[in-house]
Amino acid sequence: MIRRLNQRTVLCAVAFAAFAFLVDFEMAQAESSLESIKMLQSLTSGDEGSLAAARAIKQLGKANDVTLVQSLTAMKGATPIGRNWILGLANSLYRKTGKSKASELTHFLSDTNQDGEARYTVFQWLTANNDKLRKELLANMKQDASPELRYLAIDEAMKSKLEILQLSSLLEAARHPSQVVSIIEKLKVLGETIDQSKQFGFLPKWRLIGPFDNVGTVNFDKVFPIENDGVKGLFKAEYEGKTEAVIWREETSEAADGMVDLAKTFSNEKGCIIYALTEFESEKDQDAEVRLGCINGNKIWVNGQLAVSNEVYHTGSQIDQYVEPIRLKAGKNQILLKLCQNEQKESWAQKFEFQLRICDSTGKAILTKGR
Amino acid sequence: MTIIMHRYTNSTLSAIGLTVAILAQATSSHADWPMFRGPNAGSVAIDAKIPTKFGGEQKENVAWRTELPGRSVGGVIVVGDSAITTSSSGMDQRRLHLISVNSKDGSTRWQQEFVARGRPYCHPTSANAAPTPASDGKNIFAFFSSNDLACVDLDGNLVWYRSLSTDFPKAGNDVGMSSSPVVVDGVCVVQIECQGDSFAAGLNTEDGKILWKLDRPKQANWSSPTVVKLPNGEKVVVMQSSEDLLAVSPKTGKILWEMKVRCSTIPSCLAAEGRLFVPAGGLTAFDLSSAGASPSKLWDNNKLSANACSPLVVGKRVYTISRTVLASGDLFSGELKWQTRLADAKSIWSSPVVAGNILYIFGDDGKCFVVELGEDEGKVVATNELGEAVLGSPAISGNAMYVRGVSSLWKIAEK
């Protein structure tokens, strides 16, 4: 009898220990998965983070205790690199369980507080073979917080025949330059003329000075006196140029795309640098983005601080080619550009021009006061 | 006795298993087309039999066609019974897709997706999905113009990811990059040459660690690194640019030899018969027999120029394409043997492939010229219309050719 009791006691103890071990193990694993997700969320560049992320993604794959929606939710607040790692995990989870999660995913998509890239991914999954649902959802996404969903929604809306009022509403919502141009063209056909340059917020009025020397394409990083004066915000009327003294000249772009044609103004000068100066009057202190399109080497200083630098010549250009965050102060802000031309002789390497605008983080133009 | 039998059985099974594994590897190796231009970057499947007539309205000899998201100007690879390719879609082609398709029926096995963290911009005729992916048979390595590099396993699960434009912010080219990665000796080699952060790098295939990084000329370059097996058996990675030609050790990035040669910046080089054939204005042949030392020049011929497509070698002939002219040259002397103009051809960007002695070359309008490679002439035996632009190089596996159109994937094989 005692022997049987002992056996039972031992068995119970073993079972309890095993249960406790499993609970502990699962809790440890869950904690470990949570830590892995946190690590992925905070990833930045470099080897160290990547190696840790590779271990984390392996652990998450084995643990199998993170749900699809948990992974999608984790994309909010993650770094851009972190979001890609988590997106990779989410895609694998979707393949395993996604088909049965339509209701949860629909709810996730409708929550505009979630990460935009995650919601766009969910939208693709839900509408992959359902064009009717795709159109229904997009009909209400023209103002969506996700730039990708908004782009799709406007694209879809543009397929219909639209009247002026509808097009004007779309123009207000559109952010992608190709869509803005397309809507303005459609409005023009209907007799409604929009000032495209103003709609984009291109800065048309500039003071230009040059040419300065860039023979051999060697002076991109040379600090010319005008750059030091730019930091101080005090410019001289005259500087020593490439071959002679040069003075400021006024230039106003009339182009719809806001392009300032330096090749024309400076008689196709090659191996040279031109500086362009303007003032932007902000209604208030605010975060903004400077957005440049330029097929030549370029630098931008905003209020004396270097914001943009690209030593690249003749490899394509477009609106918003280079986008960088800046801080505007209330009142006048000084914007100085250094624009560098090389000496390539090919017909496709003759352009010397730029277009610049100031936007909020969604790509909506911020206009200088009074424009 | 039982134990002895058991041991005997085990060792026999092990031996059989090993033999099967080796055979399977040989078969797989024969069937796989693991990277841009296939095994050894040769672009040739000498035993394959591909129909010469296909496509058109009747979809003749089209085993299947699968529509894919977005667009691509890259190629396709074949690993086992999966055809794998990439796409880019959405706003500014920022969505990056890696897609595995069942080679038997064209059904999608899996998709993996990322968002471009580098510059996605490119010429309207190109795409962010321009490089061809690569595989070591265990994992897939997908690279994009935006310098996003992802490694997934054969089931599409993420193994590692690198945003090389985040690591090196000035890496990029707004015309679009297109250099395809190669995988060799446990290292994934990428060549990112541009006016900004210009470099080549070798990444550990297991975890994505950058094992080495080599500064490269600050000039735009779209050519791909090429794995070359030297006569002594050593594998090196050869890279070309408008300023140089060099070979590096894939594991260390150590430069084994380097020459000042003004190479072409779109087509890539090729090794065959102990020689290295380099598009450099015309075509230049180098002798690879002196391992470790710079290869000596054997010949060059500007009549064998290659403006976009990489050269290939079949038998004792080397073939190049300059715009719409196919040229055949003697492998050993460089002597031009014949030229054939591909009548009505549009722009040709897709590097051709060869099955048997039949060359298949696609124009960017989707027209495929089928050329029988003879001693004295290249005879166009058929032209086929896919009705879809093709800019990437096809893959051949078994008796099928896989063609990546800009928006879909095709399997060409006798039905």
Side-chain angles (χ1 to χ4, degrees):
Chain A
M1 184 69 180
I2 292 169
R3 197 175 168 187
R4 273 188 189 169
L5 268 176
N6 281 346
Q7 276 181 339
R8 278 183 191 167
T9 308
V10 169
L11 281 172
C12 283
V14 168
F16 180 77
F19 176 74
F21 173 77
L22 281 174
V23 169
D24 277 355
F25 178 73
E26 282 181 11
M27 281 178 67
Q29 196 172 56
E31 278 176 23
S32 176
S33 294
L34 195 63
E35 288 302 312
S36 293
I37 288 283
K38 276 185 184 170
M39 199 282 297
L40 292 179
Q41 284 178 312
S42 61
L43 268 175
T44 53
S45 61
D47 266 342
E48 202 175 312
S50 292
L51 295 179
R55 288 191 294 272
I57 205 83
K58 201 170 181 178
Q59 186 274 327
L60 287 164
K62 278 184 183 168
N64 205 21
D65 58 354
V66 173
T67 68
L68 175 58
V69 171
Q70 280 174 332
S71 68
L72 292 164
T73 305
M75 286 175 69
K76 186 175 174 66
T79 62
I81 291 180
R83 287 203 298 279
N84 260 352
W85 280 88
I86 299 168
L87 183 58
L89 172 68
N91 270 300
S92 291
L93 293 171
Y94 176 72
R95 284 198 297 277
K96 288 176 191 163
T97 64
K99 298 285 191 302
S100 62
K101 306 286 181 188
S103 170
E104 285 176 63
L105 291 174
T106 302
H107 179 73
F108 183 89
L109 176 62
S110 67
D111 183 355
T112 54
N113 285 319
Q114 295 293 348
D115 176 71
E117 290 177 353
R119 289 177 60 240
Y120 179 87
T121 303
V122 169
F123 173 85
Q124 287 180 300
W125 290 339
L126 290 173
T127 61
N129 296 305
N130 191 339
D131 197 47
K132 185 167 173 278
L133 177 63
R134 182 178 185 278
K135 285 178 178 168
E136 281 174 10
L137 290 170
L138 287 178
N140 298 311
M141 288 179 162
K142 292 189 275 293
Q143 299 273 4
D144 198 278
S146 155
E148 290 178 295
L149 287 171
R150 180 186 290 229
Y151 177 84
L152 271 191
I154 291 172
D155 206 42
E156 187 62 35
M158 295 278 283
K159 291 175 185 170
S160 305
K161 190 177 178 185
L162 302 169
E163 301 301 326
I164 289 177
L165 201 60
Q166 295 163 306
L167 283 167
S168 299
S169 169
L170 276 188
L171 186 60
E172 182 59 26
R175 293 291 181 271
H176 195 276
S178 66
Q179 292 184 329
V180 171
V181 169
S182 182
I183 295 166
I184 288 173
E185 283 171 358
K186 282 182 186 288
L187 280 166
K188 191 177 178 184
V189 171
L190 296 176
E192 188 80 0
T193 302
I194 302 290
D195 180 343
Q196 185 173 310
S197 175
K198 184 178 176 183
Q199 180 70 32
F200 272 104
F202 289 120
L203 307 189
K205 291 186 177 177
W206 294 89
R207 296 178 70 206
L208 307 177
I209 191 164
F212 296 89
D213 183 31
N214 194 31
V215 171
T217 325
V218 295
N219 286 339
F220 180 80
D221 284 323
K222 178 178 175 179
V223 179
F224 287 85
I226 195 169
E227 293 176 28
N228 289 327
D229 292 347
V231 172
K232 290 179 268 182
L234 293 168
F235 295 99
K236 297 182 182 68
E238 183 179 294
Y239 289 93
E240 191 56 40
K242 187 177 178 182
T243 57
E244 59 187 349
V246 291
I247 58 170
W248 295 97
R249 62 175 87 180
E250 305 291 325
E251 179 86 6
T252 300
S253 170
E254 304 291 344
D257 62 1
M259 199 65 83
V260 180
D261 189 347
L262 301 174
K264 187 179 173 187
T265 306
F266 291 91
S267 308
N268 294 315
E269 181 75 24
K270 308 287 286 185
C272 72
I273 291 167
I274 306 296
Y275 288 91
L277 179 67
T278 196
E279 278 184 348
F280 183 93
E281 194 166 356
S282 176
E283 297 274 3
K284 57 185 179 184
D285 289 339
Q286 59 184 316
D287 291 323
E289 289 180 350
V290 60
R291 295 183 170 215
L292 175 74
C294 181
I295 201 162
N296 311 92
N298 57 76
K299 288 187 181 183
I300 302 176
W301 293 265
V302 178
N303 296 325
Q305 292 214 320
L306 185 66
V308 175
S309 175
N310 298 288
E311 192 177 11
V312 180
Y313 296 84
H314 305 293
T315 64
S317 178
Q318 61 186 54
I319 297 174
D320 296 350
Q321 183 180 9
Y322 302 109
V323 178
E324 294 293 342
I326 56 170
R327 179 74 181 166
L328 293 173
K329 62 185 181 187
K332 289 180 179 174
N333 295 267
Q334 174 198 286
I335 301 173
L336 176 69
L337 273 69
K338 180 179 191 176
L339 301 143
C340 306
Q341 175 66 303
N342 65 4
E343 294 159 286
Q344 281 182 257
K345 292 185 170 60
E346 298 92 336
S347 59
W348 47 264
Q350 300 308 304
K351 285 184 177 174
F352 190 20
E353 59 189 17
F354 72 94
Q355 55 187 172
L356 185 142
R357 65 190 190 127
I358 305 293
C359 296
D360 66 15
S361 60
T362 73
K364 184 175 184 174
I366 302 174
L367 298 179
T368 190
K369 196 175 174 184
R371 188 175 186 197
Chain B
M1 183 64 184
T2 309
I3 292 169
I4 293 169
M5 275 297 289
H6 183 67
R7 280 182 182 164
Y8 175 76
T9 309
N10 265 357
S11 58
T12 306
L13 285 173
S14 299
I16 292 169
L18 185 62
T19 309
V20 168
I22 290 169
L23 285 174
Q25 194 179 21
T27 308
S28 166
S29 159
H30 174 70
D32 284 0
W33 191 273
M35 57 186 84
F36 174 52
R37 298 185 289 161
N40 307 315
S43 305
V44 178
I46 207 71
D47 299 328
K49 290 184 174 60
I50 310 295
T52 55
K53 291 185 178 174
F54 55 85
E57 287 186 7
Q58 301 301 317
K59 298 281 185 283
E60 186 181 2
N61 289 320
V62 174
W64 48 257
R65 171 179 175 257
T66 300
E67 283 198 33
L68 300 174
R71 58 184 273 117
S72 165
V73 297
V76 52
I77 62 171
V78 180
V79 182
D81 59 359
S82 294
I84 296 158
T85 188
T86 58
S87 275
S88 46
S89 72
M91 192 173 71
D92 295 326
Q93 294 191 58
R94 287 181 189 275
R95 285 279 162 166
L96 312 176
H97 308 261
L98 181 53
I99 307 149
S100 175
V101 172
N102 186 332
S103 64
K104 289 172 184 161
D105 59 14
S107 60
T108 300
R109 280 218 162 94
W110 50 258
Q111 282 196 50
Q112 184 54 275
E113 190 173 320
F114 305 95
V115 183
R117 299 304 179 206
R119 305 177 67 73
Y121 309 123
C122 60
H123 190 272
T125 56
S126 191
N128 197 346
T132 301
S135 176
D136 57 4
K138 180 182 162 196
N139 291 322
I140 313 292
F141 304 85
F143 190 47
F144 295 86
S145 172
S146 50
N147 297 321
D148 293 272
L149 175 62
C151 171
V152 304
D153 66 20
L154 295 180
D155 294 319
N157 299 308
L158 178 61
V159 178
W160 53 262
Y161 160 82
R162 294 298 296 248
S163 166
L164 294 173
S165 279
T166 305
D167 292 335
F168 309 100
K170 296 298 180 188
N173 176 340
D174 288 352
V175 176
M177 310 281 274
S178 69
S179 178
S180 298
V182 293
V183 184
V184 54
D185 293 345
V187 180
C188 176
V189 179
V190 292
Q191 192 176 352
I192 299 170
E193 297 190 15
C194 58
Q195 293 180 41
D197 291 329
S198 189
F199 63 95
L203 294 92
N204 187 337
T205 54
E206 294 295 320
D207 55 21
K209 180 182 168 65
I210 296 177
L211 300 172
W212 53 266
K213 177 175 171 278
L214 194 63
D215 286 342
R216 299 290 296 139
K218 287 182 180 289
Q219 295 291 335
N221 188 1
W222 297 271
S223 66
S224 300
T226 303
V227 179
V228 171
K229 194 172 181 180
L230 298 177
N232 66 3
E234 184 186 3
K235 286 180 182 171
V236 301
V237 175
V238 175
M239 290 179 273
Q240 64 188 67
S241 76
S242 59
E243 294 182 13
D244 61 6
L245 176 71
L246 77 169
V248 301
S249 162
K251 285 186 175 170
T252 63
K254 183 187 171 191
I255 296 174
L256 304 171
W257 50 258
E258 186 177 17
M259 292 187 287
K260 291 291 170 196
V261 182
R262 289 180 61 83
C263 303
S264 304
T265 54
I266 301 177
S268 308
C269 64
L270 161 74
E273 300 283 341
R275 291 161 165 75
L276 184 67
F277 299 93
V278 182
L283 191 70
T284 305
F286 293 94
D287 182 5
L288 287 172
S289 62
S290 50
S294 292
S296 54
K297 188 164 89 173
L298 295 168
W299 53 258
D300 60 20
N301 188 343
N302 60 14
K303 289 179 180 168
L304 291 171
S305 65
N307 70 305
C309 307
S310 299
L312 55 81
V313 166
V314 185
K316 306 301 179 195
R317 291 290 179 85
V318 61
Y319 299 90
T320 60
I321 291 165
S322 177
R323 305 203 182 278
T324 59
V325 176
L326 171 65
S328 171
D330 183 89
L331 202 63
F332 303 105
S333 68
E335 180 191 354
L336 177 70
K337 291 295 185 180
W338 52 255
Q339 288 179 310
T340 295
R341 182 171 292 280
L342 305 171
D344 300 326
K346 302 285 183 189
S347 295
I348 297 174
W349 293 94
S350 161
S351 287
V353 293
V354 166
N357 72 329
I358 304 290
L359 180 140
Y360 297 79
I361 181 154
F362 284 86
D364 68 357
D365 56 353
K367 183 184 282 184
C368 178
F369 295 84
V370 182
V371 185
E372 189 177 309
L373 303 173
E375 277 289 309
D376 304 318
E377 65 169 342
K379 185 179 176 186
V380 178
V381 294
T383 56
N384 302 292
E385 302 272 2
L386 286 189
E388 178 185 358
V390 176
L391 288 92
S393 190
I396 296 176
S397 179
N399 288 323
M401 177 168 65
Y402 299 85
V403 183
R404 180 60 163 103
V406 289
S407 58
S408 61
L409 185 61
W410 303 67
K411 179 180 181 180
I412 308 298
E414 276 191 14
K415 288 181 180 172

